[in-house]
Amino acid sequence: MFVYPDFIGAGPALKWKDVKYLSEAPLVDIQSHSKSHDSLSPLPRGESDKDYLSRLKLEVEGVDKILSRRTDQEINHFAYPYGNSSLKVVELLEQNNYQLAVTVQKGSNPSFSAPFLLH
């Protein structure tokens, strides 16, 4: 189950106690879906490379630590919000020790698939 910490506890959403409970179930694995579910594509009106990288870092870095602390699970998989990715996001995920990431594209994943662009 891919979650984003900024939404946990908001209104009718799952609470942290629910996420912890689910993480203890043998068939549920909690993983990262970014910090706030913001699109990870560059903004359509344009933003500087520096601003884009800052926004990506906010969405990726540290989320694994938040989720690990709350669930006692290793966080090393990522689901792109809206399926939006870029080479900069992939680089950032690799630098933060993620092992794979999934998009929303339909299709199979043969053994030679790029681990950070899985269908």
Side-chain angles (χ1 to χ4, degrees):
M1 189 166 105
F2 293 96
V3 299
Y4 51 104
D6 281 4
F7 192 64
I8 297 172
L14 289 173
K15 310 293 185 232
W16 279 112
K17 66 179 178 137
D18 302 319
V19 174
K20 175 66 173 164
Y21 175 77
L22 288 168
S23 74
E24 294 169 348
L27 297 177
V28 178
D29 186 34
I30 304 295
Q31 294 295 325
S32 180
H33 195 37
S34 79
K35 182 178 181 299
S36 71
H37 203 266
D38 190 20
S39 172
L40 302 181
S41 292
L43 293 177
R45 285 183 246 105
E47 64 186 326
S48 71
D49 285 345
K50 181 181 175 185
D51 288 344
Y52 178 53
L53 188 55
S54 293
R55 186 165 57 84
L56 291 181
K57 286 182 177 184
L58 180 68
E59 291 296 327
V60 172
E61 292 181 346
V63 177
D64 57 332
K65 291 170 187 59
I66 294 167
L67 294 175
S68 286
R69 189 178 72 242
R70 297 286 196 144
T71 65
D72 296 323
Q73 289 186 341
E74 184 177 1
I75 309 300
N76 52 24
H77 300 157
F78 191 89
Y80 299 107
Y82 311 103
N84 296 336
S85 64
S86 72
L87 290 177
K88 288 187 180 190
V89 179
V90 170
E91 290 172 8
L92 193 58
L93 290 171
E94 288 176 324
Q95 291 168 5
N96 283 273
N97 300 314
Y98 282 86
Q99 294 178 352
L100 61 84
V102 295
T103 67
V104 295
Q105 296 173 344
K106 293 181 181 181
S108 62
N109 291 300
S111 62
F112 54 83
S113 295
F116 290 93
L117 295 171
L118 295 174
H119 295 143

